[in-house]
Amino acid sequence: MCGRFALTASPEELLELFGLLKVEDFPARFNIAPSQPILIIVASERAEPGSNLPDRKAMLVRWGLTPGWVKDPRSFPLLINARAETATEKAAFRASMRHRRILVPASGFYEWHRPPKGSREASQAYWVRPKNGGIVAFAGLMETWSSADGSEVDTAAVLTTGANKTIRHIHDRMPVVIPPEEFTRWLDCRTQEPRDVADLLAPAPEDYFEAVPVSDKVNKVANTGPDLQDEVAPIASILTKGASADREKDDGQLTLF
């Protein structure tokens, strides 16, 4: 799964990568958590013939998708992730897969290697980032939930798939990454049905990410400094188990409600 990520890129970097006309200025965020506002990229409305306006735009939504048919979101689970393999079959995600696919910019994400239940070993956090730096675009889904009084909340989830070899010793899932050359196809919900973009829902190439062990300070939402990404010595038992596996094969969250 993907339960925390960071976005530390400048607005100028986002404008260039995603071909945007504008994006609001914002501070670097080192510990983005579920239920907090996140930046997403969506396809713009169809432009008039001859228009030179960009075909993408940025907006803020709440991280945690709420389907439009939910009556009371307070009694509905927070859907921060959607399994790419089954999203088109699930009532919560089916409409979004067809009509509201998005990109979620990130500088990387955090993942935890958790020991078996009953073990006295501690969990090890990792900062997973593109090996060559830069911005990564996660595949996501968006839904707008409307209340009885007419107010609306835009919400989103990140699509995940099976982990590649780089991540598998930490966790068996990872976010789906959309490469820049496929941004347009992924966002095009007018002509590209879910079956037409199914090939994009694959693990990232083995050499795309690197996993850096970090301290457990990232566990607390209140910790938001760049020191969260400082490398630490990993737990020795995790290194041993990870190598063996390769050979064999919160609280305090913000809300927009």
Side-chain angles (χ1 to χ4, degrees):
M1 64 178 295
C2 174
R4 298 285 177 84
F5 69 98
L7 179 58
T8 59
S10 68
E12 291 73 23
E13 291 173 306
L14 292 168
L15 290 173
E16 180 178 357
L17 178 61
F18 294 101
L20 305 172
L21 180 63
K22 65 177 182 178
V23 63
E24 299 298 326
D25 197 8
F26 54 85
R29 299 175 65 192
F30 293 90
N31 195 6
I32 301 172
S35 80
Q36 292 182 351
I38 62 172
L39 185 76
I40 66 166
I41 310 299
V42 300
S44 300
E45 300 296 327
R46 190 186 299 270
E48 295 293 329
S51 171
N52 61 356
L53 292 176
D55 56 4
R56 301 175 196 137
K57 63 180 181 180
M59 60 184 293
L60 288 175
V61 302
R62 188 201 67 169
W63 187 14
L65 187 143
T66 301
W69 43 261
V70 172
K71 293 184 178 180
D72 183 3
R74 292 171 297 183
S75 62
F76 192 79
L78 199 63
L79 303 177
I80 62 171
N81 293 154
R83 293 178 68 92
E85 300 90 336
T86 58
T88 56
E89 306 166 8
K90 300 296 184 181
F93 307 119
R94 189 183 303 122
S96 297
M97 275 293 293
R98 178 63 186 88
H99 302 290
R100 290 173 289 278
R101 297 190 298 268
I102 64 172
L103 296 169
V104 181
S107 300
F109 66 99
Y110 299 97
E111 193 52 85
W112 286 260
H113 178 279
R114 303 189 188 280
K117 290 184 178 180
S119 170
R120 294 185 179 182
E121 298 176 15
S123 296
Q124 175 64 62
Y126 286 84
W127 165 234
V128 184
R129 63 190 180 192
K131 189 175 293 185
N132 295 324
I135 306 168
V136 58
F138 298 147
L141 303 174
M142 175 182 167
E143 189 66 80
T144 299
W145 180 82
S146 301
S147 67
D149 64 8
S151 60
E152 295 183 339
V153 179
D154 294 321
T155 67
V158 173
L159 282 160
T160 66
T161 188
N164 61 19
K165 187 177 180 180
T166 304
I167 308 300
R168 196 177 304 137
H169 73 284
I170 303 171
H171 199 280
D172 62 355
R173 306 290 296 176
M174 68 185 301
V176 173
V177 174
I178 304 295
E181 63 271 20
E182 298 291 2
F183 286 173
T184 297
R185 185 157 69 99
W186 173 253
L187 294 176
D188 181 8
C189 296
R190 290 192 291 266
T191 68
Q192 301 293 301
E193 296 189 12
R195 65 174 177 268
D196 299 321
V197 295
D199 60 299
L200 300 178
L201 304 177
E206 296 296 346
D207 61 348
Y208 186 81
F209 283 116
E210 61 181 354
V212 179
V214 295
S215 75
D216 61 2
K217 288 186 288 186
V218 70
N219 295 3
K220 294 186 177 181
V221 179
N223 294 332
T224 59
D227 59 318
L228 297 181
Q229 296 171 3
D230 290 346
E231 185 170 3
V232 301
I235 299 172
S237 61
I238 292 176
L239 291 178
T240 302
K241 291 178 181 178
S244 176
D246 285 343
R247 283 193 299 271
E248 295 175 2
K249 190 188 176 188
D250 278 51
D251 52 19
Q253 295 177 347
L254 305 178
T255 177
L256 296 186
F257 284 121

